[in-house]
C-alpha cells in the first residue's frame, strides 16, 4: 500500500504558528513580472521577520531556539503547498490560539471555479476541514478586509448558517458579484479613496458588531494589503500605519473574546506590502497579541487577558503612530 501523508502535522511547541514555504514564491521564466501581483512577496515577509527577530540565531543549535525566544528556523515557517495539507492552518490556530499564513487568502475562488489570481478555495477548505475533523468547531466567522469582495467563499457558504461573513471592500471594483453579496451578513461598501480615519472607524465598529452578533469557534481573517494608498487594483487610500492598526484592531477583538484566529494575507499589489505585513506581525508581537507563551497555551492565556485589560479603550482613543 502506498504511503499516505497525514493531512495534519502537529508542529513542535517551540515553533511559532507562522506558516510559509519557499514554494509560495512563483516564477515562470520571467512572465510573473508581467502582472501586478508580487509573486515573491511572501518570501520577503519572512526575510524581514528574520532580520528583525532572528539576530543571534545559532545555526549550531538543532532546535533553532533563539536568545530572543523567537523560534525562526526554516522548519518554523515551512509547510506543504498542497491545498489539503494547508487546511491544517485552521487547526493550528485552534490549538495555539492563533496562526498566520503569510500566503493564502484566495477569496475569489469557490469550490467549483477560480477567479482573479485565485487558484483554489483555501478559506472554504480550511473551514470545512475544521467542521468535519476538529471537535468543538461548529461556527466560523470570516472577516474579509481585502479591498475586493470575497465572492468565492461567499458563494460556497451562501446557505450555510454556521458561517458568518463580514466583508469590507471597494464597491466599484472587481468582482462586483451581486449574487455572492447575498451571503454577506455584515456588508461595508467603501468609496474610492477611503482613508485611514473613516476606514479604521468602520472596521472597528463592524468587527465588534459582527463578533457581538455571533461568537464563533474560529475567525478566518483575510488581511489583504491592497487597501494601501497607491495600490493599482484596490482604489483605496489607507496608509501603512493604518494597515498595521487595522490588524491590531482585529486581533484585539479576537483576544478579548478568546476566539482563535487564523490570518491569511491575500491581495496587495505593491512592492512595499511585504514590509508592511512584516511590520504588522511585529506590532502584534510587541503588543503581546502573538507571542511564544500564547502559542504554547492557547487563546485564554492570562498574559493576554492582562494585556487586554491594560490596553482596553474606546476606539476614539486609538491613534496612528
Amino acid at each position: 500500500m502506498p504511503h499516505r501523508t497525514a493531512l495534519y502535522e502537529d508542529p513542535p511547541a517551540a515553533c511559532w504558528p507562522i506558516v510559509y514555504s519557499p514554494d509560495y514564491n512563483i516564477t515562470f521564466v520571467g512572465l510573473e513580472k508581467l502582472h501586478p501581483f508580487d509573486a515573491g512577496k511572501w518570501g520577503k515577509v519572512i526575510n524581514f521577520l528574520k532580520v528583525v527577530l532572528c539576530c543571534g540565531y545559532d545555526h549550531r543549535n538543532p532546535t533553532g531556539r533563539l536568545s530572543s525566544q523567537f523560534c525562526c528556523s526554516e522548519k518554523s515557517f515551512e509547510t506543504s503547498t498542497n491545498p489539503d495539507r494547508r487546511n491544517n492552518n485552521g487547526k493550528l490556530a485552534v490549538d495555539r490560539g492563533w496562526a498566520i499564513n503569510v500566503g493564502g487568502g484566495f477569496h475569489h475562488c469557490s469550490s467549483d471555479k477560480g477567479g482573479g489570481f485565485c487558484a483554489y478555495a483555501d478559506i472554504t477548505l480550511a473551514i470545512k476541514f475544521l467542521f468535519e475533523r476538529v471537535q468543538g468547531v461548529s461556527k466560523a466567522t470570516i472577516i474579509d478586509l481585502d479591498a475586493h469582495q470575497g465572492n468565492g467563499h461567499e458563494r460556497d457558504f451562501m446557505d450555510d448558517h454556521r458561517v458568518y461573513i463580514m466583508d469590507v471592500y471597494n464597491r466599484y471594483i472587481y468582482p462586483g458579484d451581486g449574487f455572492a453579496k447575498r451571503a454577506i451578513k455584515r456588508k461595508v461598501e467603501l468609496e474610492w479613496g477611503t482613508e485611514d480615519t473613516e476606514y479604521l472607524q468602520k472596521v472597528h465598529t463592524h468587527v465588534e458588531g459582527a463578533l457581538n452578533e455571533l461568537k464563533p469557534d474560529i475567525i478566518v481573517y483575510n488581511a489583504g494589503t491592497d487597501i494601501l494608498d497607491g495600490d493599482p487594483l484596490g482604489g483605496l487610500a489607507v496608509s501603512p500605519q493604518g494597515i498595521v492598526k487595522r490588524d491590531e484592531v482585529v486581533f484585539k477583538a479576537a483576544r478579548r473574546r478568546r476566539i482563535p484566529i487564523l490570518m491569511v494575507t491575500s491581495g496587495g499589489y505593491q512592492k512595499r506590502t511585504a514590509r508592511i505585513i512584516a511590520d504588522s506581525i511585529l506590532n502584534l508581537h510587541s503588543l503581546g497579541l502573538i507571542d511564544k507563551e500564547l502559542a504554547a497555551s492557547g487563546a485564554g492565556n492570562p498574559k493576554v487577558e492582562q494585556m487586554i485589560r491594560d490596553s482596553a479603550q474606546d476606539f476614539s482613543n486609538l491613534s496612528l503612530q
Side-chain angles (χ1 to χ4, degrees):
M1 179 179 292
H3 174 71
R4 294 184 64 187
T5 304
L7 284 176
Y8 179 75
E9 294 180 0
D10 189 17
C15 294
W16 284 50
I18 298 176
V19 180
Y20 166 73
S21 169
D23 291 339
Y24 290 2
N25 304 298
I26 302 168
T27 59
F28 188 70
V29 296
L31 294 179
E32 70 279 358
K33 298 177 182 178
L34 300 179
H35 63 75
F37 192 83
D38 181 4
K41 76 174 182 179
W42 300 293
K44 294 173 186 175
V45 173
I46 294 303
N47 288 334
F48 285 135
L49 291 176
K50 286 182 177 180
V51 167
V52 174
L53 295 170
C54 295
C55 55
Y57 178 70
D58 186 354
H59 290 277
R60 296 168 297 179
N61 185 339
T63 65
R65 295 181 186 277
L66 304 175
S67 58
S68 65
Q69 296 184 342
F70 190 94
C71 182
C72 198
S73 67
E74 289 294 329
K75 192 173 182 61
S76 303
F77 296 107
E78 210 165 311
T79 191
S80 167
T81 52
N82 182 306
D84 288 336
R85 292 289 302 282
R86 286 178 68 178
N87 294 344
N88 67 24
N89 295 175
K91 186 175 188 303
L92 189 60
V94 171
D95 290 346
R96 302 292 190 93
W98 65 278
I100 297 172
N101 191 317
V102 298
F106 304 122
H107 65 159
H108 298 309
C109 184
S110 63
S111 58
D112 60 351
K113 66 178 181 179
F117 298 128
C118 304
Y120 66 89
D122 62 327
I123 293 174
T124 296
L125 289 168
I127 291 173
K128 289 189 174 181
F129 178 91
L130 289 171
F131 285 168
E132 294 172 5
R133 296 177 178 265
V134 179
Q135 186 175 6
V137 179
S138 61
K139 296 177 294 182
T141 290
I142 299 170
I143 297 176
D144 195 331
L145 301 186
D146 187 274
H148 300 81
Q149 176 198 353
N151 62 319
H153 59 74
E154 289 162 8
R155 284 177 170 264
D156 284 338
F157 294 117
M158 178 67 66
D159 299 312
D160 193 331
H161 299 294
R162 299 173 297 176
V163 180
Y164 184 108
I165 298 174
M166 170 182 161
D167 202 347
V168 181
Y169 56 89
N170 183 337
R171 69 170 72 218
Y172 300 108
I173 61 175
Y174 178 88
D177 190 336
F179 176 78
K181 289 179 184 180
R182 294 165 48 191
I184 304 173
K185 300 294 194 300
R186 189 170 285 259
K187 179 175 63 177
V188 183
E189 296 188 320
L190 302 174
E191 300 294 327
W192 290 108
T194 299
E195 297 180 349
D196 288 23
T197 301
E198 178 185 353
Y199 181 80
L200 289 170
Q201 287 174 342
K202 287 183 175 179
V203 167
H204 178 268
T205 297
H206 289 285
V207 166
E208 291 292 324
L211 296 179
N212 287 340
E213 197 167 321
L214 173 73
K215 183 178 180 181
D217 302 308
I218 182 74
I219 294 168
V220 178
Y221 171 36
N222 199 44
T225 48
D226 51 2
I227 65 170
L228 181 64
D229 186 22
D231 189 279
L233 300 182
L236 303 177
V238 179
S239 72
Q241 297 88 347
I243 292 175
V244 171
K245 183 62 69 174
R246 175 199 68 175
D247 295 348
E248 178 185 325
V249 167
V250 175
F251 269 76
K252 279 185 175 179
R255 286 281 161 244
R256 191 178 305 117
R257 295 167 174 83
R258 301 186 180 183
I259 304 171
I261 181 169
L262 167 62
M263 172 177 162
V264 291
T265 59
S266 200
Y269 306 97
Q270 299 183 74
K271 298 295 184 183
R272 57 184 178 144
T273 59
R275 174 77 262 182
I276 295 167
I277 293 168
D279 285 345
S280 180
I281 293 172
L282 294 172
N283 181 61
L284 296 174
H285 171 246
S286 70
L287 293 172
L289 291 164
I290 59 173
D291 67 10
K292 190 172 182 180
E293 291 181 19
L294 179 62
S297 60
N301 190 299
K303 179 179 178 180
V304 178
E305 297 298 313
Q306 185 61 49
M307 180 279 299
I308 291 172
R309 286 194 293 270
D310 292 344
S311 64
Q313 55 188 324
D314 293 333
F315 182 71
S316 59
N317 294 328
L318 286 174
S319 61
L320 299 177
Q321 300 178 3

